[in-house]
Amino acid sequence: MGEKIEFRPVDYDPLVDSLFVVVPEGKYEHSVMLGDDVILDFGRLSGGDKLDVIGFEILGASKKFGLDKGLLRNIRRLHAEIKISEDRVEMMISIVVVQRKKERERSRVLEMANVGLPTAVTSISV
């Protein structure tokens, strides 16, 4: 019998301190590395013809959010706004984790130079 694989749109790997987020209905085409610690995944949403951000990976996530790696393994909600202008890429990320049965929210703004990406605004909520 085939083993059922559970899809997780938000995945955290504590061994490499990497937070990975993907839009489930996106069809992956390529990735772009921004600086040393952010990777944007581009593709097309189902039924769409426009290339868009369908996911991202943040390296060193526990340090960026100021949270213990154990807490990042249990993210309850995540919302990201990604704005790509002619000169920079700005990511506004808000995560909610549970600590001692209480929700804790952390937000972070990451800014990087644009490396030739087309202008876009994307929201990802999971």
Side-chain angles (χ1 to χ4, degrees):
M1 286 241 137
E3 189 177 321
K4 184 176 178 182
I5 298 171
E6 181 182 341
F7 178 79
R8 296 184 55 187
V10 178
D11 192 21
Y12 176 72
D13 183 346
L15 294 176
V16 293
D17 196 17
S18 170
L19 177 66
F20 178 70
V21 178
V22 65
V23 176
E25 61 272 5
K27 184 176 178 186
Y28 174 81
E29 290 194 17
H30 68 275
S31 298
V32 176
M33 183 89 174
L34 301 173
D36 295 331
D37 54 5
V38 175
I39 301 166
L40 290 182
D41 293 333
F42 288 86
R44 299 181 199 287
L45 296 174
S46 62
D49 58 347
K50 183 182 106 176
L51 195 63
D52 209 346
V53 177
I54 62 163
F56 60 87
E57 184 172 5
I58 298 175
L59 307 175
S62 66
K63 292 178 182 88
K64 285 184 182 50
F65 288 100
L67 291 170
D68 182 81
K69 291 179 180 183
L71 291 176
L72 284 173
R73 292 181 74 161
N74 297 306
I75 294 175
R76 180 158 292 172
R77 288 186 308 276
L78 180 140
H79 180 79
E81 295 279 332
I82 303 167
K83 296 179 183 178
I84 303 172
S85 66
E86 289 183 14
D87 60 338
R88 69 184 174 133
V89 177
E90 182 178 82
M91 297 178 68
M92 295 160 284
I93 304 166
S94 176
I95 60 173
V96 175
V97 296
V98 176
Q99 182 179 28
R100 295 187 181 116
K101 298 183 182 181
K102 293 185 180 180
E103 289 188 350
R104 262 178 93 180
E105 183 172 358
R106 286 290 168 104
S107 296
R108 178 80 180 166
V109 175
L110 304 172
E111 293 188 54
M112 290 109 350
N114 188 340
V115 292
L117 302 174
T119 302
V121 176
T122 301
S123 290
I124 298 175
S125 291
V126 285

